[in-house]
Amino acid sequence: MSGCGLFLCSVAARFCRAPAAFTVSRRPLLTSPPSRAFAKDLFLGKIQKKEVFPFPEVSQDELKEINQFVGPVEKFFTEEVDSRKIDQEGKIPDETLEKLKSLGLFGMQVPEEYGGLGLSNTMYARLGEVIGLDASIAVTLAAHQAIGLKGIILAGSKEQKARYLPRLASGEHVAAFCLTEPASGSDAASIRTRATLSADKRHYILNGAKVWITNGGLANVFTVFAKTEVVDSDGSVKDKMTAFIVERDFGGVTNGKPEDKMGIRGSNTCEVHFENTRVPVENVLGEVGGGFKVAMNILNSGRFSMGSVVAGMLKKLIEMTAEYACTRKQFNRNLSEFGLIQEKFALMAQKAYVMESMAYLTAAMLDAPGFPDCSIEAAMVKVFSSEGAWTCVSEALQILGGSGYIRDYPYERLLRDSRILLIFEGTNEILRMYIALTGLQHAGRILTARVNELKRGNVTTIMETVGQRLRDSLGRTVDLGLTGKLGVVHPSLADGAHKLEENVYYFGRSVETLLLRFGKAIVEEQLVLKRVANVLVNLYGMTAVLSRASRSIRLGLRDHDHEVLLANIFCSEAYHQNLFTLSQLDKHSPENLDELVKKVSQQILEKRAYICTHPLDRAP
Amino acid sequence: MSWAQAILLARGLSRGWGGICSTALTGAPFSQVPPQAPRGLRCSAAAHNPDSSLVPRPPEPPRQPVKALAVHEELFRPALDGTRDKANFVRAVQNFAQYNVHKRGHVDFIYLALRKMREYGVERDLSVYNLLLDVFPKEVFRPRNIFHSIFLHYPRQQECGIAVLEQMENHGVMPNNETEFLLMQIFGRKSYPMLKLVRMKLWFTRFKNINPFPVPRDLPQDPVDLASLALRHMEPDLSARVTTYQMPLPKDSPDTMDPTETHIVGIQSPEQQSALARHDPARPIFVEGPFSLWLRDKCVYYHILRADLLPPEEREVEEIPEEWNLYYPMQLDLAYGRSGWDDYEFDIDEVEEGPVFAICVAGAHDQATLAKWIQGLQETNPALARIPVVFRLSGSSGELLASSSELEEPPPPPPEGQEEEEDSQQRQQQGQS
């Protein structure tokens, strides 16, 4: 059990948001009150209404400020950025980069005292919508500030911030984030880059190779993760990861030629090699040996913005395809008159609406005072928006038919560009594991006592559980207080709210059953975890749209009836999806084909080939 | 031949002893070979011998004159150029039908032809089997009434038909519609050959692919190729690499007699390689063998490089490092595990064995040859240099060596019968060793 306490400590640190983890000396972690987050409580079958209702608003001043920023940026992106040229040449032209720098887009989240714009997360998300119009620029900017220099903001000392942030914020220097290695993707233990302390103890000598580094060819400042030898508290020497700020001028930094990619071709991705690079000890980011937490916090912090970036892209896409559908005639009718085409527009609008709602809700949560842990929410936004982007662009291409496939039009580029969204910043598979496991850990801790009593055979608890299940199965109406007299959801959305409540309640029950069934062995049940994550993403989406649509009705915003329609469609669809998924999570569920699926894949992987005989082959 | 004649003849044949003595009584006087009653009788008796194969064995060569091998032997006289192929075989069968308008002795002829098929290399040819069945007179042996069906009607002919099917079965030849049609014409629907056919059609399809580890029908003749086939057959990991550590010397070189200059082919998977690298140098590893592996009618002998199982107290517990996965927790900090009623694992007592690091097939089973293998392995497994290797070779008697070298240097195709003898000899040796 002694190891258990240690692990608890690390887990707590992992789940606290970045600044909390780095102010350990000031705020002892174990005594700080646990930061309750909305998503984690969903695992217990509860809705923390305070966190998500009403939908967050920005003040009038702030709105004005945002619009001031957005106006010129939008003008620049629509008028001056030639996405097609960027894609074809595989490079963002220098004058475009200069203009981006002069607009201040290289320092959006850098505090104002260091020369950045100091935007809040909400404002950053709003700007993201515009930047999303060109994927290559969006990725370049994100690699620069969402991960490249984020480490310095989150974990840097005052001196480091003063030294690097001003020039990074102005765009004079470009930052890159060097974590991935040929042998190491998400596996931190297999990192081979090594930093050894020099004899005079004033430098670290850095050696190793990093691959797929966005901005690797442009960057002057790198956040590099390397293994260093750290003496443990018990005197043993261990290899631990440490983060360094490495300037190109330190020497020994070389990069390979830019990779030829499928999409986001304008962004620069290449290998970066470090050969005997001398890094001063002052450039250690965070603590020596604390690189793992730095990396994790950087990765967790940047994800929510994908929601608004994709939403911005989708809005533009809807405009373009609608234009096409309303002008192209077939059989003397416009394409827009065909049901199968109309359906696709509804789908795109619905996805855009949901991911927009989720993104801004999460941004507002992150902007809340204190250090709320919203990493699950951010991961959910990323999963939903990346998958939404892929389906929507694909559907749009269906509407466009042949012209969607032709290089002369921008559509195929959007498809290529959006494919990366499912892969980078943590693949969606990995994020689903993160979403499910983090939530289950939270629920598992709280339910420990109950589970133990059930396992021990405490009669009262068992009777209670059986009674509860009996009531559930006889069909109870779930009321978690979203509607009604003091409800937070507008009555015209009551139907969706009831569905959400029911889903949340039964999700809580399912989680309890799963914990009872699998306990900590659930880590190995990836197909179960995937379903848990899927339900949670839907629940979060439902909450976000209900909250947003309620607000729109109450404020009387223009076209709020359209929002109500979208919200109701999504809630209904998500509700049925959830019901199906939850039923798959039941033991002995006929809908659950996991065993068969596993068998098939095992046989295929054993042979490493498609197994079935050719349909034309004969028996004798 | 008219039908009436055929029926008359057949009835005459079946009288008395029925089919059993028909050859002896009626067939012999007309056959071109000098009549030898004892031979004919013995031959028929052999057909009834509840032997593994329904095809009667040829009479033992030393005691019998070559001429008296079988009734229609001369039909299978080798062609002028000495070739024996399908065309010659087909001609022989056609000649029989041509010269024997009454198809006398056709049962004997079919038995003989079945025996000859291997020599002519047509034992897997469906059309030849159909041709053989076509030798039977049609309609004669069909049961005419219910009693015929109940009692074995023309037993000798039916058995002969079954023998044809049996040989097809042994060589994995699936009958087709033509076979069925022929059998229907010859024996009718309600006959034993027909029953056999139906059973074959049912089970062949089911058993054809029953072996999850199929062996190719024609094995490579080259010992190195055969060895790598055998190794691939044993190794489940598809990333494993076959390495030829030593090629056999060409046959005409003067050193052929040197037994150490035989082929050495080994296989090792990357996992085995890393397991060997992790192996504690203080513990010896063993070269064991030879073990036998049968691939169809060939046997290869292999050796393994293995270690003893670590005692439980020395095994490293695989622990999850604290800082491992950048994206999600690799373990949950919960006090409870999988509940008993959700544990679908069967309760199996597993006997753990020590790890096997590599397998090899060599032409010789002595220590000198195997030491070369270990030397070759060291190139890819530097750790091997520090680990003591113990040779535990068993049964490397001259007998085993002789038989295996016989196999691996394929002799020219031996005449019929001799090869089977050799096979059985080997099997006996196999059983002894």
Side-chain angles (χ1 to χ4, degrees), chain B residues 297-311:
Chain B
D297 54 349
K298 292 194 181 179
C299 181
V300 284
Y301 292 89
Y302 64 94
H303 292 77
I304 57 170
L305 182 68
R306 60 165 279 260
D308 278 337
L309 194 64
L310 277 177

Side-chain angles (χ1 to χ4, degrees), chain A residues 186-313:
Chain A
S186 24
D187 178 359
S190 57
I191 282 185
R192 300 265 175 279
T193 304
R194 179 159 282 284
T196 39
L197 201 57
S198 64
D200 57 359
K201 302 218 167 185
R202 294 186 52 200
H203 288 90
Y204 277 97
I205 313 293
L206 191 65
N207 276 300
K210 299 282 184 180
V211 293
W212 301 333
I213 305 304
T214 312
N215 292 350
L218 313 171
N220 314 80
V221 176
F222 301 88
T223 309
V224 184
F225 294 86
K227 282 279 165 76
T228 46
E229 279 185 358
V230 177
V231 181
D232 239 6
S233 50
D234 57 348
S236 62
V237 177
K238 262 191 178 171
D239 271 353
K240 282 197 149 184
M241 209 158 82
T242 305
F244 297 92
I245 309 172
V246 181
E247 292 176 39
R248 198 179 274 274
D249 302 337
F250 287 167
V253 184
T254 49
N255 53 271
K257 71 169 180 39
E259 306 280 353
D260 193 9
K261 302 187 292 289
M262 170 185 173
I264 52 166
R265 294 174 58 85
S267 68
N268 176 291
T269 308
C270 59
E271 289 177 22
V272 178
H273 301 272
F274 299 96
E275 202 184 331
N276 292 325
T277 306
R278 289 170 69 82
V279 185
V281 283
E282 305 91 79
N283 275 27
V284 170
L285 201 50
E287 292 167 40
V288 174
F292 188 81
K293 280 169 203 155
V294 176
M296 224 167 53
N297 284 308
I298 294 172
L299 291 169
N300 280 345
S301 69
R303 286 187 193 120
F304 78 97
S305 64
M306 193 184 283
S308 65
V309 171
V310 171
M313 186 267 286

Side-chain angles (χ1 to χ4, degrees), chain A residues 4 6-7 10 14 179 186-189 292 296 303 426 430 434 437 441 444 455 515-520 523 525 587 606-608 619-620, chain B residues 174-175 205 208-209 212 236-239 321-344:
Chain A
C4 189
L6 206 109
F7 183 69
S10 83
R14 184 179 303 179
L179 177 65
S186 24
D187 178 359
F292 188 81
M296 224 167 53
R303 286 187 193 120
I430 271 186
Y434 174 73
L437 285 172
Q441 172 73 75
K455 289 204 168 177
L515 283 169
L516 205 58
R517 276 174 63 188
F518 297 112
K520 59 183 170 188
V523 181
E525 303 284 333
K587 202 174 145 116
E606 211 169 274
K607 292 238 171 87
R608 302 190 188 178
Chain B
M174 175 77 175
T205 44
K208 186 169 176 255
N209 295 310
D237 190 348
L238 292 180
S239 344
E322 205 175 299
E323 296 184 347
W324 197 7
N325 192 324
L326 280 162
Y327 290 93
Y328 63 91
M330 299 290 273
Q331 58 185 8
L332 289 188
D333 176 31
L334 296 177
Y336 42 91
R338 192 183 286 269
S339 73
W341 43 275
D342 219 287
D343 200 348
Y344 294 116

